[in-house]
Amino acid sequence: MKKIAVIGSGTMGNGIAHVFAQNGFSVSLIDLSEDALKKALSTIEKNLDRQIKKELISEAHKNTTLKNITTYTDTKAGVKEAELVVEAATENTDLKLKIFKDLDAICDPDTILASNTSSISITKIAASTSRSEKVIGMHFMNPVPVMKLVEVIRGYNTSDETTATVMELSKTLGKAPVEVNDYPGFVANRILMPMINEAIYSLFEGVAGVEEIDTVMKLGMAHPMGPLQLADFIGLDVCLSILNVLYEGLGNQKYAPCPLLVNMVQAGHKGVKTGSGFYSWSHGTKDLIVADRFKK
């Protein structure tokens, strides 16, 4: 494979474009918004500069990486000749189904269609196309240039050939792919989200404060980041969406989102992206400052 298209230029989309371009692929980064694309390129450049400071890449490698990325607001033009399309749009089922239906109509019949979804059924997404054997999940972790894991999710009809191709492709990116089957939340979020939800319940029920809950998990369980801080970084709206998928898909009460999480999302406190969640992020992300509403 030489030509890759990425749908969506947000946090995950620009990270995915970054790692493909850095590894020599020609990347089409597609978004409906020209401003979003400009912001994505700026983010990629800043992340490449961080890699230079850490002596992971050279200035020449940075320039080559940026040259490997072309931006498009026209999806049809962007996916032309692409051998793999990775969808990294908002975690919304209806939106993803529409995107895959459209991609199926305009992409070459041999093109593999992958979704970076963190919880939505690959089988359901594939059913919106006429090439279910070529539809697969590539769940990258955030931040994409740093995190090694890629969950490779097989839909019910995903072929062995497609799976093997994506597994090998992930390795060429320097990632560690893990093959999993298509059930709600896959592996990563089926385990992670109930932990985050339980941490929110512990706060909601007054067991301990924000800082105390995160400290217990960092110092007691050797987690690099506490679950409430991590939830803020993921986005509380994303956490809620994934928990709803788990709850609806598995029908088990243990996946029901904590009322506090629901209220925070409805009130617009979604974590880092909005400047407030369990912590205040208006000052940046280096220092941990508990949000005023949760201070004792």
Side-chain angles (χ1 to χ4, degrees):
M1 282 192 183
K2 295 183 182 294
K3 189 167 176 57
I4 308 296
V6 179
I7 307 287
S9 64
T11 301
M12 297 305 294
N14 72 58
I16 293 166
H18 176 149
V19 296
F20 273 108
Q22 188 176 320
N23 285 279
F25 292 87
S26 175
V27 179
S28 298
L29 181 57
I30 304 163
D31 201 295
L32 295 175
S33 167
E34 189 68 51
D35 287 342
L37 289 168
K38 288 177 182 176
K39 183 179 178 182
L41 288 177
S42 175
T43 298
I44 291 169
E45 186 167 9
K46 287 176 185 175
N47 288 334
L48 288 166
D49 286 337
R50 286 194 187 98
Q51 291 177 305
I52 291 173
K53 285 182 181 179
K54 294 178 181 178
E55 299 184 345
L56 297 174
I57 62 170
S58 65
E59 186 74 31
H61 195 172
K62 168 194 167 180
N63 293 333
T64 301
T65 298
L66 290 172
K67 286 178 183 177
N68 284 341
I69 303 172
T70 306
T71 61
Y72 293 87
T73 54
D74 182 344
T75 302
K76 188 172 183 179
V79 300
K80 187 179 180 182
E81 298 179 357
E83 296 158 279
L84 168 72
V85 180
V86 182
E87 170 273 317
T90 304
E91 194 73 351
N92 177 288
T93 302
D94 291 339
L95 175 62
K96 290 185 187 293
L97 294 179
K98 183 182 184 307
I99 288 172
F100 274 78
K101 184 178 180 180
D102 292 344
L103 289 174
D104 187 46
I106 61 179
C107 290
D108 185 274
D110 292 328
T111 302
I112 293 174
L113 305 181
S115 177
N116 181 60
T117 180
S118 52
S119 61
I120 297 168
S121 168
I122 298 302
T123 302
K124 185 173 185 176
I125 290 171
S128 67
T129 76
S130 60
R131 62 179 86 194
S132 58
E133 76 285 355
K134 290 186 174 294
V135 178
I136 196 165
M138 286 186 80
H139 181 206
F140 290 84
M141 304 293 129
N142 185 30
V144 181
V146 176
M147 301 293 280
K148 290 288 186 183
L149 176 66
V150 178
E151 262 190 317
V152 177
I153 304 107
R154 292 187 66 139
Y156 195 78
N157 290 326
T158 305
S159 70
D160 291 341
E161 181 182 2
T162 297
T163 304
T165 298
V166 170
M167 290 287 286
E168 286 306 310
L169 182 64
S170 300
K171 291 175 185 176
T172 67
L173 301 177
K175 302 300 184 186
V178 176
E179 181 183 336
V180 304
N181 289 318
D182 184 26
Y183 291 97
F186 317 132
V187 171
N189 282 314
R190 184 165 179 170
I191 294 170
L192 175 63
M193 286 302 151
M195 182 190 74
I196 287 175
N197 200 38
E198 197 62 33
I200 298 171
Y201 263 114
S202 296
L203 176 65
F204 179 57
E205 295 173 357
V207 177
V210 170
E211 200 169 20
E212 289 76 11
I213 290 167
D214 277 355
T215 298
V216 166
M217 296 306 291
K218 286 188 286 186
L219 300 186
M221 315 305 166
H223 291 191
M225 188 181 292
L228 299 177
Q229 182 187 357
L230 179 56
D232 274 359
F233 271 87
I234 292 169
L236 302 191
D237 54 334
V238 176
C239 292
L240 178 59
S241 175
I242 295 169
L243 283 164
N244 281 330
V245 168
L246 287 166
Y247 186 43
E248 291 165 13
L250 298 168
N252 192 316
Q253 189 64 29
K254 70 180 179 180
Y255 299 114
C258 178
L260 174 59
L261 174 61
V262 175
N263 280 346
M264 289 178 71
V265 172
Q266 289 178 340
H269 299 282
K270 301 176 183 178
V272 173
K273 68 178 78 175
T274 59
S276 67
F278 296 105
Y279 294 89
S280 172
W281 303 106
S282 56
H283 60 285
T285 58
K286 287 187 178 180
D287 300 317
L288 281 181
I289 300 174
V290 174
D292 287 344
R293 70 176 55 249
F294 297 119
K295 285 181 179 177
K296 294 180 179 179

